[in-house]
Amino acid sequence: MFAKSALAVVVLAGSAAAKTCMNLTVPVTISARTAVFDITLPQTNLDATTFAQNQTQQGQNFTMTALSGYATTAGTYNISAEFCMPSSMNTTKPTVQILTHGIGFDKTYWDLSYNDFNYSYVDVATDMSGYCTLAYDRLGIGNSSHGEPLNEIQSFLEVASLAEMTMMLRNGTFPGVKQTFGKITHVGHSFGSAQTYTLVNMYPTISDGIVLTGFSMNATFVGYFGAGSNFEQAYLNQPFRFGNLSTSTVESVLNMYSLTDYVAGFSPSSSLDYPAGYLTNANIGANQYLFFLPGFFDLGVLLVGESTKQPVTVGELLTLGSVPMTNAYAGPVLIITGSNDLPYCGGNCLATGNASLPSIPAAAALNFPKVPSSNFTAYIQPNTGHGINLHYNATGAYDVIQTFLQSKGL
């Protein structure tokens, strides 16, 4: 489903750090080569389980089993973005960081309001470090345009939207942003890191530096994520947020079970209306297993993560591993991954089985043959699971990122 609308801009007051942010709806006209998968779209929760069983079976590449060919997908889509500036600009051509979230999140992953924005990556990048930031809901997710979840909303179409927004910022045509940027860096998390990795391989000069968080090039353990999610249809898992229930239906159900007072203030009009084929992790226990390291997070953050979680399309899951093993990029690369990351380290990033390899993410240096060793860093964030931004020591990871970028003149 293609969508197009006029640019919408909302200027927001920032957190206590006094950053200035704008909420933007940005039309992007893009095209990409997408896969055509010849499988039945999962309709029920049991269908979602069957899909996960097929995808996580060892000895089988379910993506190749389901693939019947390729097509070109093109259209104009709306991307929901938040552009933030520091309270004072110290240069006429500042650096902007483009922030791409991973599976299970939306752009608020980068600017968590919990506990007075103490977990906000954007606060650290803007007012503490002087960068501008652009966080956005990936195509198909959150307040960005949704689409057909099998053969449309896939990784390469999302990379095309990222490339288009990058070029808009580069050439000064990004709607609502009256600023040109001397340098552009890209920061991703998980699936967002994989898309950033793909972006710079396709366009090696598009970014002046990349940061891949919650990432490695070892796909051995990605099945843990698929199995641990215990995927359900999003519209069935959280029907008020993700379904298409009418206001009258919601009110009828609430009245039937005497829940009206319990959900006072809830607005059913805010439903994201995801169709079948948009899947989400089953419950708060699955959320913890996927993203959190026990003993090193605030329970309140986990509750926020569950109440604000976002789904993933089956098309995204089938194209998750579509990254080249050799990357053409030659600029600075930082990989920063939690010590106990589940999908990219199997829960222990230091268990390499090789005394000469300090960590599993460090092996990715071989995937960047054009990047000199002086420009490649793999850092393991201690006492942290896959969701780096959700742990007590998140700001320590943020400092590592800003220090790396600044050390490269970015």
Side-chain angles (χ1 to χ4, degrees):
M1 176 176 63
F2 299 153
K4 185 174 183 178
S5 69
L7 172 69
V9 180
V10 179
V11 180
L12 301 177
S15 68
K19 66 182 185 291
T20 300
C21 297
M22 297 183 291
N23 273 350
L24 308 168
T25 300
V26 184
V28 294
T29 300
I30 55 176
S31 65
R33 181 180 187 242
T34 51
V36 177
F37 294 114
D38 186 19
I39 61 172
T40 300
L41 185 68
Q43 298 291 322
T44 68
N45 284 342
L46 286 180
D47 290 342
T49 300
T50 299
F51 176 84
Q53 287 177 291
N54 285 328
Q55 195 176 35
T56 58
Q57 181 181 330
Q58 69 145 338
Q60 171 182 255
N61 185 332
F62 187 55
T63 295
M64 294 307 299
T65 300
L67 182 67
S68 65
Y70 295 93
T72 298
T73 299
T76 299
Y77 300 84
N78 288 331
I79 302 298
S80 176
E82 180 190 62
F83 179 81
C84 295
M85 299 170 288
S87 56
S88 60
M89 294 278 230
N90 57 11
T91 176
T92 57
K93 297 193 92 175
T95 298
V96 61
Q97 298 183 19
I98 302 180
L99 313 176
T100 305
H101 65 86
I103 290 171
F105 302 99
D106 58 18
K107 62 181 175 290
T108 61
Y109 175 81
W110 302 105
D111 196 22
L112 290 177
S113 60
Y114 180 77
N115 197 15
D116 195 24
F117 289 87
N118 280 346
Y119 291 82
S120 172
Y121 177 88
V122 172
D123 271 9
V124 172
T126 55
D127 267 356
M128 294 185 186
S129 303
Y131 294 102
C132 294
T133 61
L134 180 76
Y136 67 99
D137 291 346
R138 292 193 335 268
L139 176 60
I141 302 300
N143 290 316
S144 291
S145 294
H146 299 172
E148 194 281 322
L150 179 60
N151 290 321
E152 182 183 7
I153 304 301
Q154 299 177 3
S155 181
F156 281 101
L157 191 65
E158 295 175 44
V159 171
S161 70
L162 175 56
E164 180 68 13
M165 289 189 291
T166 301
M167 295 312 299
M168 288 179 178
L169 288 169
R170 182 76 75 182
N171 60 31
T173 61
F174 197 94
V177 178
K178 296 179 175 60
Q179 179 73 55
T180 58
F181 297 93
K183 295 174 182 177
I184 296 178
T185 62
H186 292 81
V187 184
H189 172 249
S190 190
F191 189 38
S193 290
Q195 292 189 2
T196 298
Y197 178 97
T198 300
L199 173 78
V200 296
N201 178 68
M202 295 175 67
Y203 310 101
T205 62
I206 199 169
S207 185
D208 296 292
I210 64 171
V211 179
L212 310 176
T213 76
F215 185 76
S216 79
M217 285 298 291
N218 188 328
T220 304
F221 313 105
V222 173
Y224 292 7
F225 189 94
S229 295
N230 190 18
F231 283 127
E232 295 182 352
Q233 297 287 347
Y235 78 95
L236 295 174
N237 181 266
Q238 291 189 0
F240 290 166
R241 286 187 65 221
F242 295 152
N244 60 358
L245 297 176
S246 67
T247 300
S248 60
T249 300
V250 171
E251 290 176 348
S252 176
V253 171
L254 295 178
N255 288 330
M256 182 185 304
Y257 293 99
S258 302
L259 295 173
T260 304
D261 290 338
Y262 182 73
V263 295
F266 170 77
S267 174
S269 62
S270 64
S271 171
L272 290 166
D273 193 11
Y274 289 116
Y278 275 81
L279 310 181
T280 188
N281 60 276
N283 51 43
I284 196 169
N287 208 319
Q288 175 179 315
Y289 178 76
L290 299 176
F291 298 111
F292 293 81
L293 179 62
F296 297 96
F297 67 88
D298 184 333
L299 177 59
V301 176
L302 175 58
L303 293 170
V304 169
E306 179 65 13
S307 65
T308 62
K309 68 183 179 182
Q310 290 289 341
V312 58
T313 71
V314 291
E316 289 176 313
L317 291 171
L318 287 168
T319 55
L320 179 67
S322 301
V323 296
M325 292 306 296
T326 300
N327 200 300
Y329 185 63
V333 177
L334 169 65
I335 298 178
I336 176 168
T337 301
S339 56
N340 298 86
D341 186 284
L342 175 74
Y344 288 108
C345 291
N348 188 345
C349 284
L350 302 180
T352 65
N354 181 349
S356 65
L357 183 63
S359 70
I360 291 173
L366 297 176
N367 302 100
F368 289 97
K370 295 186 178 181
V371 177
S373 59
S374 59
N375 263 355
F376 179 91
T377 298
Y379 178 83
I380 302 303
Q381 177 70 1
N383 302 324
T384 301
H386 185 50
I388 291 178
N389 295 19
L390 311 176
H391 290 76
Y392 286 132
N393 60 357
T395 54
Y398 304 165
D399 288 341
V400 170
I401 294 170
Q402 314 316 312
T403 299
F404 174 82
L405 293 174
Q406 291 162 358
S407 74
K408 304 305 175 184
L410 301 172

